């Protein structure tokens, strides 16, 4: 069953999706520039989590 979202809720979800996509892109790019392995691992975890969050947000917008 598809959930009914108001216009303002749809816009807020779109804004969150845009922000999370930007964070995901930035973390992915910056990960290649990092030399510290601990920081690189944290950034990889962030990329994984952000990817899951983006997919979850997309489900609500479709």
């Amino acid at each position: 069953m598809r959930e009914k979202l108001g216009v303002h809720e749809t816009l807020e979800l779109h804004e969150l999706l845009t922000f999370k996509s930007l964070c995901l892109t930035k973390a992915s790019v910056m990960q290649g520039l990092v030399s510290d392995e601990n920081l690189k691992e944290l950034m990889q975890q962030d990329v994984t989590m952000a990817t899951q969050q983006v997919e979850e947000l997309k489900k609500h917008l479709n």
Side-chain angles (χ1 to χ4, degrees):
M1 180 175 178
R2 185 175 170 164
E3 56 190 277
K4 299 288 183 180
L5 297 176
V7 174
H8 68 286
E9 293 168 325
T10 302
L11 289 173
E12 287 178 9
L13 276 175
H14 188 268
E15 186 177 342
L16 279 172
L17 180 59
T18 302
F19 177 72
K20 289 307 290 184
S21 295
L22 177 62
C23 291
L24 176 59
T25 301
K26 185 176 179 180
S28 295
V29 170
M30 296 301 286
Q31 191 176 8
L33 302 174
V34 173
S35 58
D36 181 58
E37 290 302 317
N38 290 334
L39 181 57
K40 196 175 275 196
E41 176 62 31
L42 284 173
M43 292 178 84
Q44 180 57 45
Q45 291 172 7
D46 184 48
V47 166
T48 302
M49 194 178 333
T51 302
Q52 293 170 350
Q53 292 167 342
V54 164
E55 291 304 316
E56 187 67 30
L57 286 170
K58 282 182 179 179
K59 289 179 189 175
H60 292 287
L61 287 174
N62 288 336

